[in-house]
C-alpha cells in the first residue's frame, strides 16, 4: 500500500514562549478545514502534560515523552510518523518540540530516506520571546538553532516588553536569519491561513496585532525562497567519477546531505552522508527495503538550483539499445 507523503510541520522555540498555545490555534484551523491532523508531542518529562489538550482538536496524538526528540526519542519520531499516517490516516502532521530539543536534529531525522516516504517537511515554525540573559547555555543553544532553522519566526509576548527592548530583540533575530518571514504577536494570535500560506503568495493582512518585519536589503534578497531541506530524486545510477567531482563543489552553506543511490555498473546500493566541516562518506549498504534513489540537501544561503543541476548531471546516460 502506498501513501502520499503528509505535510510535516515542526513547531519549536524557546521554553515558555507559547508553543502549545500556537499549536491549539493551528489545530483549530486544520479541524475547520476538515483535515485529519496527527500531532507528535515531545515533552522532556516522563509524562505528557500538553498531549491531552491537543487531543481535544487533533485526530490523533502521539506522545514522545521522556526526553528530547532530537536525541533520546529520535527513533520514536519515525515510528510515530508511521503510526499516524498508516494506522490513523493523518493527512497533516505537526510536531511540538520540547523547549530543549535541537530542531536541526529533528530536521535531520524527518528527512531520513525511509521517513520521507510518509512525511515531507513543509515548514519549520519557531516561536520566540525575549529571554533573560541568565538563560542556560543549553537553552540558549537550542534557541539559536531554532532561529537558524526557521522558515517562520514568530516573536511572541510583545505586549510584555517595552519598545526599546523589543526592537533590540527583533533586530538580533533578523540578523541571525534573514530568510524567514517575521511575525510579531501577543498571546500567539495570528492568522493561521496566512502563516501556512506559500511565501510567494503572502501579502500583509489587514491591521491586526500581527505585523511583518521590515524589508530586507537588496543584497540578501533571493528570487525564490530557499527551503531548509531539498530532496533531489535521482532517475538512474550515477557516474562515480562525476559524482566525486560534484562533491568538491559542495558549498560551505550546505550543512548536511544524505541519501541512497547506485553507481553505474556497480551492484551495491550506496549510502551517502555529508556533514560540516566537509566530511563525507560513501558506503555500500544492504537493506531489506530499498529506498528511492535520492539525496536530501539541507542548508540555506546557497544556489540550490545550481547544486541540484550539478548533482543531476552525474546521472549516467542510458545505454543505447543493442
Amino acid at each position: 500500500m502506498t501513501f502520499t507523503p503528509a505535510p510535516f510541520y515542526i513547531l519549536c522555540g524557546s521554553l515558555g514562549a507559547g508553543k502549545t498555545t500556537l499549536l491549539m490555534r493551528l489545530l483549530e484551523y486544520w479541524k475547520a478545514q476538515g483535515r485529519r491532523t496527527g500531532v507528535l508531542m515531545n515533552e522532556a518529562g516522563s509524562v505528557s502534560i500538553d498531549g491531552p489538550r491537543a487531543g481535544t482538536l487533533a485526530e490523533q496524538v502521539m506522545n514522545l515523552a521522556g526526553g528530547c526528540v532530537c536525541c533520546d526519542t529520535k527513533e520514536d519520531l519515525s515510528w510515530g510518523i508511521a503510526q499516524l499516517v498508516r494506522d490513523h490516516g493523518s493527512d497533516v502532521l505537526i510536531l511540538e518540540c520540547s523547549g530543549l530539543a535541537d530542531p536541526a536534529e529533528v530536521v535531520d531525522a524527518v528527512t531520513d530516506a525511509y521517513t520521507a516516504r510518509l512525511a515531507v517537511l513543509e515548514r519549520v515554525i519557531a516561536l520566540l520571546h525575549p529571554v533573560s540573559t541568565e538563560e542556560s547555555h543549553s537553552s540558549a543553544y537550542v534557541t539559536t538553532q531554532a532561529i537558524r532553522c526557521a522558515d517562520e519566526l514568530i516573536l511572541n509576548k510583545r505586549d510584555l516588553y517595552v519598545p526599546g527592548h523589543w526592537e533590540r530583540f527583533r533586530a538580533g533575530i533578523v540578523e541571525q536569519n534573514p530568510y524567514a518571514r517575521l511575525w510579531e504577536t501577543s498571546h500567539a494570535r495570528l492568522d493561521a491561513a496566512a502563516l501556512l500560506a506559500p511565501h510567494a503568495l503572502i501579502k500583509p493582512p489587514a491591521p491586526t496585532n500581527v505585523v511583518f518585519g521590515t524589508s530586507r536589503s537588496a543584497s540578501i534578497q533571493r528570487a525564490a525562497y530557499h527551503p531548509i531541506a531539498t530532496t533531489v530524486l535521482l532517475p538512474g545510477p550515477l557516474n562515480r567519477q562525476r559524482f566525486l567531482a560534484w562533491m568538491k563543489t559542495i558549498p560551505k552553506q550546505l550543512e548536511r546531505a544524505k541519501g541512497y543511490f547506485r553507481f553505474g555498473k556497480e551492484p551495491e546500493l550506496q549510502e551517502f552522508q555529508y556533514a560540516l566541516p566537509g566530511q563525507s562518506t560513501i558506503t555500500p549498504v544492504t537493506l531489506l527495503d530499498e529506498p528511492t534513489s535520492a539525496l536530501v540537501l539541507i542548508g540555506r544561503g546557497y544556489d540550490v538550483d545550481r547544486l541540484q543541476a550539478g548533482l543531476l548531471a552525474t546521472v549516467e546516460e542510458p545505454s543505447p539499445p543493442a
Side-chain angles (χ1 to χ4, degrees), residues 246-258:
W246 173 83
M247 287 169 52
K248 295 178 181 178
T249 70
I250 292 176
K252 63 181 180 180
Q253 293 88 348
L254 190 74
E255 301 175 20
R256 188 83 166 86
K258 55 187 176 176

Side-chain angles (χ1 to χ4, degrees), residues 87-201:
D87 297 344
H88 300 288
S90 299
D91 58 15
V92 61
L93 305 171
I94 185 166
L95 164 69
E96 181 187 340
C97 297
S98 157
L100 300 176
D102 181 353
E105 293 290 336
V106 178
V107 169
D108 193 52
V110 78
T111 53
D112 173 84
Y114 287 99
T115 306
R117 296 177 175 186
L118 301 175
V120 57
L121 180 60
E122 184 72 22
R123 205 76 60 88
V124 179
I125 303 170
L127 198 69
L128 308 160
H129 65 129
V131 293
S132 168
T133 55
E134 298 177 357
E135 184 182 35
S136 70
H137 174 73
S138 59
S139 295
Y141 173 77
V142 167
T143 299
T144 298
Q145 289 289 79
I147 295 168
R148 185 179 62 81
C149 292
D151 303 302
E152 311 287 346
L153 286 168
I154 304 172
L155 313 187
N156 196 31
K157 302 188 178 182
R158 185 179 185 181
D159 55 316
L160 300 182
Y161 294 87
V162 297
H165 185 190
W166 182 265
E167 268 64 26
R168 288 192 297 272
F169 164 64
R170 182 179 61 193
I173 300 297
V174 171
E175 183 178 358
Q176 294 178 68
N177 183 349
Y179 301 104
R181 286 192 302 192
L182 187 68
W183 307 76
E184 300 176 47
T185 68
S186 297
H187 307 290
R189 292 196 189 99
L190 47 70
D191 182 349
L195 177 67
L196 301 175
H199 282 212
L201 303 179

